[in-house]
Amino acid sequence: DHIGRKKTSMLGCFIAVMGTFLGAFCHNYYFLLAIRFLQGFGCRIVITGMFILTIELVPLKYRNTANFWAQLLWAAGYPIAAGVGYLIKDWNYMFLATSIVLLVFNMQVFFCIESPRFYLIKNDEKSAKKSIEALAAFTTTKFDLENMVLEDLGKAQKRKQSFWQQMIDLCSYPSLLAETLIQMFLWFVIAMSYYGFNFGWGSIVPNIYLGYLLSSVGQLIAVSTAVSIIDRIGRRRAMILMFIGAVIFYLIAIPEVKLGKEWTLESVCCLIGVIFVSASFSGVYLWTAELAPTSHRGFVFSMSSSSARVGSFLGPYIFNNLAPVTHKAVPLGGLAFLVLLCALGSFILVETGDKETALTGEDIAARRKSYRYRI
């Protein structure tokens, strides 16, 4: 929100690649902790920056497709990670291999065009027009940049983009604050379920590598399904539907039922349930990018992602530690209740698939004022 989507992504990419590469030379536990911190710090920055940049550069009618490709590549990363772990047993070489993969797959970050919307928020008309000119170079369109009037520029002239201005906007526009808090809760619960599954396959399915492979297949199915559903019924209805699906399979997984020597009803339901969880993860990325105004898009993504990190800490604990000392109905029933609250939160939020991208908190207030709730 302050130095730009591209510069932020470049910084994150450098930190992630270098942090991972250092793992090839690590033989100290505390050094490893520092490396893991750098990996998480860098990867989260580049993921957030690049996704925001993608959504702001892509027209409304193509955003769901762009989100599909982004989530498809995310899902494809799981078999690559499982393959690296299976084929390379020395973890120093594992870090080296992963750093090469990170570098190759993130090279495009350094050649992207900065979002014109970011420059509008900064009241930098000249740079915004240069970005539009660079984008137009990919097409046969000719723009008269000298006489072009940027319609949204006037909205941003009333404010100066800064952290304190963002805080003032949250207080001035309650609808912006409410939507941000709901999105933070959605991310928290989705990450709790998502990472609870992905760090708990060793106890859910007979073989951990098989678990990650099936998880990847489930995510590929989820992403494809989510995109189709979102195209047909919109962001809001799709999210409600996916949350309700997850609730159903959480509850079905509770009874103790053996399905052969190694499989149980819980393992099968969890493999199906992760499809709904992954689909909601795919949907919430797109929805958050469209719900948040350009002035707060980085802020809302960062706050939502931070709440998701808390959920991702709790998820593996719930799946791996809580069930053995209580009853598996406790974590599964608790998660079902939280996911049901997510469905309610999704009902409160607005549909964005038929609306222009909001620029400031003022646009959010106007959008909320004219909105009518309906299933």
Side-chain angles (χ1 to χ4, degrees), residues 1-17 38 40-53 56 106 109-110 112-115 118-119 122 161 297-299 301-302:
D1 287 338
H2 304 291
I3 67 171
R5 285 62 163 126
K6 180 180 177 179
K7 290 180 180 178
T8 301
S9 300
M10 289 169 60
L11 176 63
C13 182
F14 176 79
I15 294 172
V17 172
L38 290 174
F41 187 81
C43 286
R44 183 49 48 186
I45 290 176
V46 73
I47 289 171
T48 302
M50 284 305 296
F51 192 83
I52 292 175
L53 181 60
E56 291 185 347
N106 284 278
V109 171
F110 299 93
C112 288
I113 299 168
E114 182 57 273
S115 167
F118 165 72
Y119 289 126
K122 302 292 285 186
Q161 180 75 347
R297 193 160 292 123
F299 173 82
F301 252 97
S302 297

Coordinates of all heavy atoms in Angstrom, one line a residue, residues 1-17 38 40-53 56 106 109-110 112-115 118-119 122 161 297-299 301-302:
D1 N 0.8 -1.2 0.0 CA 0.0 0.0 0.0 C 0.9 1.3 0.0 O 0.3 2.4 -0.3 CB -0.9 0.0 1.2 CG -2.1 -1.0 1.1 OD1 -2.4 -1.3 0.0 OD2 -2.6 -1.4 2.1
H2 N 2.1 1.1 0.3 CA 3.0 2.3 0.5 C 4.2 2.4 -0.5 O 4.5 3.5 -1.0 CB 3.5 2.4 1.9 CG 2.4 2.4 2.9 ND1 1.5 3.5 3.0 CD2 1.9 1.5 3.8 CE1 0.6 3.1 4.0 NE2 0.8 1.9 4.4
I3 N 4.8 1.3 -0.8 CA 5.9 1.3 -1.8 C 5.5 0.6 -3.1 O 6.3 0.6 -4.0 CB 7.2 0.7 -1.2 CG1 7.0 -0.8 -1.0 CG2 7.6 1.3 0.1 CD1 8.3 -1.6 -0.6
G4 N 4.4 0.0 -3.2 CA 3.9 -0.6 -4.4 C 3.9 -2.1 -4.3 O 4.6 -2.7 -3.5
R5 N 3.0 -2.7 -5.2 CA 2.9 -4.1 -5.2 C 4.1 -4.8 -5.8 O 4.6 -5.8 -5.3 CB 1.7 -4.5 -6.1 CG 0.3 -4.3 -5.5 CD 0.0 -2.8 -5.2 NE -1.5 -2.6 -5.0 CZ -2.0 -2.1 -3.9 NH1 -1.2 -1.6 -2.9 NH2 -3.3 -1.9 -3.8
K6 N 4.7 -4.2 -6.8 CA 5.8 -4.8 -7.5 C 7.1 -4.8 -6.6 O 7.8 -5.8 -6.4 CB 6.1 -4.1 -8.8 CG 7.3 -4.7 -9.6 CD 7.6 -4.0 -10.8 CE 8.9 -4.6 -11.5 NZ 9.2 -3.9 -12.8
K7 N 7.4 -3.7 -6.0 CA 8.6 -3.6 -5.2 C 8.5 -4.5 -4.0 O 9.5 -5.1 -3.5 CB 8.8 -2.1 -4.7 CG 9.2 -1.2 -5.9 CD 9.4 0.2 -5.3 CE 9.9 1.2 -6.5 NZ 10.0 2.6 -6.0
T8 N 7.3 -4.6 -3.4 CA 7.1 -5.4 -2.3 C 7.3 -6.9 -2.6 O 8.0 -7.6 -1.9 CB 5.6 -5.3 -1.7 OG1 5.4 -3.9 -1.4 CG2 5.4 -6.2 -0.5
S9 N 6.8 -7.3 -3.8 CA 7.0 -8.7 -4.3 C 8.4 -9.0 -4.6 O 8.9 -10.1 -4.3 CB 6.1 -8.9 -5.5 OG 4.8 -8.7 -5.3
M10 N 9.2 -8.0 -5.1 CA 10.6 -8.2 -5.4 C 11.4 -8.4 -4.1 O 12.2 -9.3 -4.0 CB 11.1 -7.0 -6.2 CG 10.6 -6.9 -7.6 SD 11.0 -5.4 -8.4 CE 12.8 -5.3 -8.3
L11 N 11.0 -7.6 -3.1 CA 11.7 -7.7 -1.8 C 11.4 -9.1 -1.2 O 12.3 -9.8 -0.7 CB 11.2 -6.6 -0.9 CG 11.7 -6.7 0.6 CD1 13.2 -6.5 0.6 CD2 11.0 -5.6 1.4
G12 N 10.1 -9.5 -1.2 CA 9.8 -10.8 -0.7 C 10.4 -12.0 -1.4 O 10.9 -12.9 -0.8
C13 N 10.5 -11.9 -2.7 CA 11.2 -12.9 -3.5 C 12.6 -13.1 -3.2 O 13.1 -14.2 -3.0 CB 11.0 -12.6 -5.0 SG 11.7 -13.8 -6.1
F14 N 13.3 -11.9 -3.0 CA 14.7 -12.0 -2.7 C 14.9 -12.6 -1.3 O 15.8 -13.5 -1.1 CB 15.3 -10.6 -2.7 CG 16.7 -10.5 -2.2 CD1 17.8 -10.8 -3.1 CD2 17.1 -10.1 -0.9 CE1 19.1 -10.7 -2.7 CE2 18.4 -10.0 -0.5 CZ 19.4 -10.3 -1.4
I15 N 14.1 -12.2 -0.3 CA 14.2 -12.8 1.0 C 14.0 -14.3 1.0 O 14.7 -15.0 1.7 CB 13.3 -12.0 2.0 CG1 13.7 -10.6 2.2 CG2 13.3 -12.7 3.4 CD1 12.7 -9.7 2.9
A16 N 12.9 -14.7 0.3 CA 12.5 -16.1 0.3 C 13.6 -17.0 -0.3 O 13.9 -18.0 0.2 CB 11.2 -16.3 -0.4
V17 N 14.1 -16.5 -1.5 CA 15.1 -17.3 -2.2 C 16.4 -17.4 -1.4 O 17.0 -18.5 -1.2 CB 15.4 -16.8 -3.6 CG1 16.6 -17.5 -4.2 CG2 14.1 -16.9 -4.5
L38 N 12.9 -16.5 7.7 CA 13.1 -15.8 6.5 C 12.2 -16.3 5.4 O 11.7 -15.6 4.5 CB 14.5 -15.8 6.1 CG 15.5 -15.0 7.0 CD1 16.9 -15.2 6.6 CD2 15.2 -13.5 6.9
G40 N 9.3 -18.0 5.6 CA 7.9 -17.6 5.9 C 7.7 -16.1 5.6 O 6.7 -15.7 4.9
F41 N 8.6 -15.3 6.0 CA 8.5 -13.8 5.8 C 8.5 -13.5 4.3 O 7.6 -12.8 3.9 CB 9.6 -13.1 6.6 CG 9.6 -11.6 6.6 CD1 8.8 -11.0 7.5 CD2 10.3 -10.9 5.7 CE1 8.7 -9.6 7.5 CE2 10.2 -9.5 5.7 CZ 9.4 -8.9 6.6
G42 N 9.5 -14.0 3.6 CA 9.6 -13.7 2.2 C 8.5 -14.3 1.4 O 7.9 -13.5 0.5
C43 N 8.1 -15.5 1.6 CA 7.1 -16.2 0.8 C 5.8 -15.5 0.9 O 5.0 -15.3 0.0 CB 7.0 -17.6 1.1 SG 8.3 -18.6 0.4
R44 N 5.4 -15.1 2.2 CA 4.1 -14.5 2.4 C 4.0 -13.1 1.8 O 3.0 -12.8 1.2 CB 3.9 -14.4 3.9 CG 2.5 -13.9 4.3 CD 1.4 -14.5 3.6 NE 1.4 -16.0 3.6 CZ 0.5 -16.7 2.9 NH1 -0.4 -16.1 2.2 NH2 0.6 -18.0 2.9
I45 N 5.2 -12.4 1.8 CA 5.2 -11.1 1.1 C 5.0 -11.2 -0.4 O 4.2 -10.5 -1.0 CB 6.5 -10.4 1.5 CG1 6.5 -9.9 2.9 CG2 6.6 -9.1 0.6 CD1 7.8 -9.3 3.3
V46 N 5.7 -12.1 -1.0 CA 5.6 -12.2 -2.5 C 4.3 -12.8 -2.9 O 3.7 -12.3 -3.9 CB 6.8 -13.1 -3.0 CG1 6.6 -14.5 -2.7 CG2 7.0 -12.9 -4.5
I47 N 3.7 -13.7 -2.1 CA 2.4 -14.2 -2.5 C 1.3 -13.1 -2.4 O 0.5 -13.0 -3.3 CB 2.0 -15.4 -1.5 CG1 2.9 -16.6 -1.8 CG2 0.5 -15.7 -1.6 CD1 2.7 -17.7 -0.8
T48 N 1.4 -12.4 -1.4 CA 0.4 -11.3 -1.2 C 0.6 -10.2 -2.2 O -0.4 -9.8 -2.9 CB 0.5 -10.7 0.2 OG1 0.3 -11.7 1.2 CG2 -0.5 -9.6 0.4
G49 N 1.8 -9.7 -2.4 CA 2.1 -8.7 -3.4 C 1.7 -9.1 -4.8 O 1.0 -8.3 -5.5
M50 N 2.0 -10.3 -5.2 CA 1.8 -10.7 -6.6 C 0.3 -10.9 -6.8 O -0.2 -10.7 -7.9 CB 2.6 -11.9 -6.9 CG 4.1 -11.6 -7.2 SD 4.3 -10.4 -8.5 CE 3.7 -11.2 -9.9
F51 N -0.4 -11.5 -5.8 CA -1.8 -11.7 -6.0 C -2.6 -10.4 -6.1 O -3.5 -10.3 -7.0 CB -2.4 -12.6 -4.9 CG -3.8 -13.1 -5.2 CD1 -3.9 -14.2 -6.0 CD2 -4.9 -12.4 -4.8 CE1 -5.2 -14.7 -6.3 CE2 -6.2 -12.9 -5.1 CZ -6.3 -14.0 -5.8
I52 N -2.3 -9.4 -5.3 CA -2.9 -8.1 -5.4 C -2.6 -7.5 -6.7 O -3.5 -6.9 -7.4 CB -2.4 -7.2 -4.2 CG1 -3.0 -7.7 -2.9 CG2 -2.9 -5.8 -4.5 CD1 -2.4 -7.0 -1.7
L53 N -1.4 -7.6 -7.2 CA -1.0 -7.0 -8.5 C -1.8 -7.7 -9.6 O -2.3 -7.0 -10.5 CB 0.5 -7.2 -8.7 CG 1.1 -6.6 -10.0 CD1 0.9 -5.1 -10.1 CD2 2.6 -6.9 -10.1
E56 N -5.4 -6.5 -9.6 CA -5.6 -5.1 -10.1 C -5.3 -4.9 -11.5 O -5.7 -3.9 -12.1 CB -4.7 -4.2 -9.2 CG -5.1 -4.1 -7.7 CD -4.3 -3.2 -6.9 OE1 -3.3 -2.7 -7.3 OE2 -4.8 -2.9 -5.8
N106 N 9.8 -17.6 -9.7 CA 9.5 -16.3 -9.3 C 10.2 -15.2 -10.1 O 10.2 -14.0 -9.8 CB 9.8 -16.1 -7.8 CG 8.7 -16.7 -6.9 OD1 7.7 -16.1 -6.7 ND2 9.0 -17.9 -6.5
V109 N 8.5 -11.9 -11.4 CA 8.2 -10.8 -10.4 C 9.0 -9.6 -10.8 O 8.5 -8.4 -10.7 CB 8.6 -11.2 -9.0 CG1 8.5 -10.1 -8.0 CG2 7.7 -12.4 -8.5
F110 N 10.2 -9.7 -11.3 CA 11.1 -8.6 -11.6 C 10.8 -7.9 -12.9 O 11.3 -6.9 -13.2 CB 12.6 -9.1 -11.6 CG 13.0 -9.6 -10.3 CD1 13.0 -11.0 -10.0 CD2 13.5 -8.8 -9.3 CE1 13.4 -11.5 -8.8 CE2 13.9 -9.3 -8.1 CZ 13.8 -10.7 -7.8
C112 N 7.4 -7.5 -14.0 CA 5.9 -7.2 -14.0 C 5.8 -5.6 -14.1 O 6.7 -4.9 -13.8 CB 5.2 -7.7 -12.7 SG 5.0 -9.4 -12.7
I113 N 4.6 -5.2 -14.5 CA 4.2 -3.8 -14.5 C 3.5 -3.4 -13.2 O 2.6 -4.2 -12.8 CB 3.3 -3.6 -15.7 CG1 4.1 -3.9 -17.0 CG2 2.8 -2.1 -15.8 CD1 3.1 -4.0 -18.2
E114 N 3.8 -2.3 -12.6 CA 3.2 -1.9 -11.4 C 1.7 -1.5 -11.7 O 1.4 -1.1 -12.8 CB 3.9 -0.7 -10.8 CG 3.3 -0.1 -9.5 CD 3.3 -1.2 -8.4 OE1 2.3 -1.9 -8.4 OE2 4.2 -1.3 -7.6
S115 N 0.9 -1.7 -10.7 CA -0.5 -1.5 -10.9 C -0.8 0.0 -11.0 O -0.4 0.8 -10.2 CB -1.3 -2.0 -9.7 OG -2.6 -1.6 -9.6
F118 N -2.5 1.5 -7.8 CA -1.6 1.9 -6.7 C -1.2 3.4 -6.9 O -1.2 4.1 -6.0 CB -0.4 1.0 -6.7 CG 0.7 1.6 -5.8 CD1 0.6 1.6 -4.4 CD2 1.9 2.1 -6.4 CE1 1.6 2.1 -3.7 CE2 2.9 2.6 -5.6 CZ 2.8 2.6 -4.3
Y119 N -0.8 3.7 -8.1 CA -0.4 5.1 -8.4 C -1.6 6.1 -8.2 O -1.4 7.2 -7.8 CB 0.2 5.2 -9.8 CG 1.5 4.6 -10.0 CD1 1.7 3.6 -11.0 CD2 2.6 4.9 -9.1 CE1 3.0 3.0 -11.1 CE2 3.8 4.3 -9.3 CZ 4.0 3.3 -10.3 OH 5.2 2.7 -10.4
K122 N -1.8 7.0 -4.7 CA -0.7 7.9 -4.3 C -0.8 9.2 -5.0 O 0.1 10.1 -4.9 CB 0.7 7.2 -4.7 CG 0.9 5.8 -4.1 CD 1.1 5.9 -2.6 CE 2.5 6.5 -2.2 NZ 2.7 6.4 -0.8
Q161 N -2.3 8.9 1.2 CA -2.1 7.5 1.6 C -1.0 7.4 2.6 O 0.1 7.8 2.4 CB -1.8 6.7 0.3 CG -1.6 5.2 0.6 CD -2.9 4.5 0.9 OE1 -3.9 5.1 1.1 NE2 -2.8 3.2 0.9
R297 N -6.1 -2.5 0.3 CA -6.0 -3.9 -0.2 C -4.8 -4.6 0.5 O -5.0 -5.8 0.9 CB -6.0 -3.9 -1.7 CG -6.2 -5.3 -2.3 CD -6.6 -5.3 -3.7 NE -8.0 -4.7 -3.9 CZ -8.2 -3.6 -4.6 NH1 -7.3 -3.0 -5.3 NH2 -9.5 -3.1 -4.6
G298 N -3.7 -4.0 0.5 CA -2.5 -4.6 1.1 C -2.7 -4.8 2.6 O -2.4 -5.8 3.2
F299 N -3.4 -3.8 3.2 CA -3.6 -3.8 4.7 C -4.6 -5.0 5.0 O -4.3 -5.8 5.9 CB -4.2 -2.5 5.2 CG -4.7 -2.5 6.6 CD1 -3.8 -2.3 7.6 CD2 -6.0 -2.7 6.9 CE1 -4.2 -2.3 8.9 CE2 -6.4 -2.7 8.2 CZ -5.5 -2.5 9.2
F301 N -5.3 -7.7 3.2 CA -4.7 -8.9 2.9 C -3.7 -9.3 4.0 O -3.7 -10.5 4.5 CB -4.0 -8.9 1.6 CG -4.6 -9.7 0.5 CD1 -5.5 -9.0 -0.4 CD2 -4.5 -11.0 0.4 CE1 -6.1 -9.7 -1.4 CE2 -5.1 -11.8 -0.6 CZ -5.9 -11.1 -1.5
S302 N -3.0 -8.3 4.5 CA -2.0 -8.6 5.5 C -2.6 -9.0 6.9 O -2.2 -9.9 7.5 CB -1.1 -7.4 5.7 OG -0.3 -7.1 4.6

